[in-house]
Amino acid sequence: MKPLAYPAPIHELVAQLKRMPGVGPRSAERIALWMLTARNAQPGDIADTIRTVTERVKPCVQCGFFTDSELCEICADETRGHSTLCVVEQPTDIILLERTGALRGRYHALGGRISPLNHVGPENLRIGGLIERVRTQQPAEVILALGADVEGEATSLYIADLLKASPVTVTRIAQGLPAGTSVESADEVTLSRALKGRFKLEA
Amino acid sequence: MKPLAYPAPIHELVAQLKRMPGVGPRSAERIALWMLTARNAQPGDIADTIRTVTERVKPCVQCGFFTDSELCEICADETRGHSTLCVVEQPTDIILLERTGALRGRYHALGGRISPLNHVGPENLRIGGLIERVRTQQPAEVILALGADVEGEATSLYIADLLKASPVTVTRIAQGLPAGTSVESADEVTLSRALKGRFKLEA
């Protein structure tokens, strides 16, 4: 028996929707069929919004965060001081750090990390702009908030090396046990880093 | 502290993506940020495909299934007989029934079921077309494959009543225990319907 096939355009729609992160074949089919049976303008509105937003939103010329004008909201905010400059890999990391409420400084998104295996060298990242910002804005501290993996380490060391002639203090975010976990559940590397990063308790 | 806000267009994109079924606030944000950081044409392609497909794919003029021409693949298929006509609520139900491989007939999607609470009356459904098909195509059997709820029942009875003057045999899909479940796990209504629908085992 010849199995029933969707018309080709529906296949194409499912294939396109499957490219979105977290959307598997079943959800893609569900969304596609919803789009085809929706008796309103919603699917068209979604398409238009994807088009406009991806065209209008660009990286901030200074820090790489999302913006629809020249400078992003953070860079344009005069009430934030320039004493702390926090370096992250992706612009999305800025959102996560801001949500902690632990920091009220400025940010610099590199756009990735040095990764020879993926052909990403320092020249592919926003590192020149970072050095220039440190020179002109003269922050007291540069916090390297990069991933706790080999490439995050390498990128941190590379930047620290570039900044060693500058008077700025370069720090790296801590590595250790994630909140709410037991020593038992930590792997060896995490545990040894947590030990190395131990700090004195104030009595 | 004033919390960091995404630029307004990103909020709009997240809001639009959240309208898709199965996509919650977190997935919508994840998809939106992926669209903004993707360095290729994929998000634009997705938008274009949504636009084209929702514009090109229409209900089959005869049965209501999806098609990008006049008649759908099933209605245009001359190798299928006209002896069985299976009535479903939604065109998507046709896919599910076809996948069972239990049937090789033709279908008729009503586009919903009679639901006074939702202001859906017989005149809002593809019921006139169904009666006309039965008259002209003269199937031997009309299978009502509608939901096992009050509205599915009411719609089934309504159609059966309209067809009672016609020589066609009208059947309804069975209600009973779902495959792989125990009697213990069935609710009272399901169990009483399963009892009522009991059938003789061939020795």
Side-chain angles (χ1 to χ4, degrees), chain A residues 69-139:
Chain A
S69 53
E70 187 86 348
L71 282 182
C72 74
E73 200 192 346
I74 303 176
C75 286
D77 183 352
E78 289 303 323
T79 70
R80 284 178 190 249
H82 280 91
S83 68
T84 314
L85 183 58
C86 182
V87 179
V88 296
E89 293 175 14
Q90 298 298 343
T92 45
D93 297 337
I94 296 176
I95 301 287
L96 304 175
L97 288 165
E98 278 285 305
R99 280 185 190 156
T100 66
L103 202 71
R104 175 133 174 100
R106 294 181 179 264
Y107 296 88
H108 193 87
L110 299 175
R113 65 257 187 102
I114 300 172
S115 171
L117 282 177
N118 297 308
H119 309 288
V120 180
E123 68 283 3
N124 306 116
L125 303 172
R126 221 175 265 106
I127 289 182
L130 171 64
I131 306 302
E132 183 59 22
R133 278 183 82 180
V134 172
R135 202 180 59 75
T136 56
Q137 299 176 355
Q138 302 188 319

Side-chain angles (χ1 to χ4, degrees), chain A residues 21-201:
Chain A
V23 175
R26 288 190 74 90
S27 336
E29 187 177 332
R30 190 171 159 212
I31 296 171
L33 295 177
W34 168 79
M35 287 181 166
L36 291 167
T37 46
R39 295 184 186 189
N40 53 36
Q42 285 192 8
D45 290 348
I46 292 174
D48 291 348
T49 310
I50 295 173
R51 265 271 169 235
T52 356
V53 174
T54 52
E55 276 162 14
R56 273 181 55 194
V57 174
K58 295 191 162 44
C60 167
V61 290
Q62 180 168 256
C63 78
F65 188 57
F66 305 113
T67 183
D68 51 356
S69 53
E70 187 86 348
L71 282 182
C72 74
E73 200 192 346
I74 303 176
C75 286
D77 183 352
E78 289 303 323
T79 70
R80 284 178 190 249
H82 280 91
S83 68
T84 314
L85 183 58
C86 182
V87 179
V88 296
E89 293 175 14
Q90 298 298 343
T92 45
D93 297 337
I94 296 176
I95 301 287
L96 304 175
L97 288 165
E98 278 285 305
R99 280 185 190 156
T100 66
L103 202 71
R104 175 133 174 100
R106 294 181 179 264
Y107 296 88
H108 193 87
L110 299 175
R113 65 257 187 102
I114 300 172
S115 171
L117 282 177
N118 297 308
H119 309 288
V120 180
E123 68 283 3
N124 306 116
L125 303 172
R126 221 175 265 106
I127 289 182
L130 171 64
I131 306 302
E132 183 59 22
R133 278 183 82 180
V134 172
R135 202 180 59 75
T136 56
Q137 299 176 355
Q138 302 188 319
E141 180 180 3
V142 165
I143 305 172
L144 300 173
L146 309 179
D149 49 12
V150 176
E151 295 169 339
E153 290 294 335
T155 311
S156 296
L157 292 175
Y158 181 86
I159 292 173
D161 193 56
L162 286 181
L163 291 175
K164 90 183 154 204
S166 150
V168 72
T169 305
V170 179
T171 60
R172 174 102 171 84
I173 53 169
Q175 298 181 36
L177 300 189
T181 64
S182 65
V183 168
E184 208 175 51
S185 67
D187 62 284
E188 265 175 51
V189 180
T190 301
L191 213 50
S192 78
R193 288 180 182 174
L195 268 174
K196 204 173 152 197
R198 67 191 180 276
F199 56 97
K200 201 176 169 185
L201 286 173

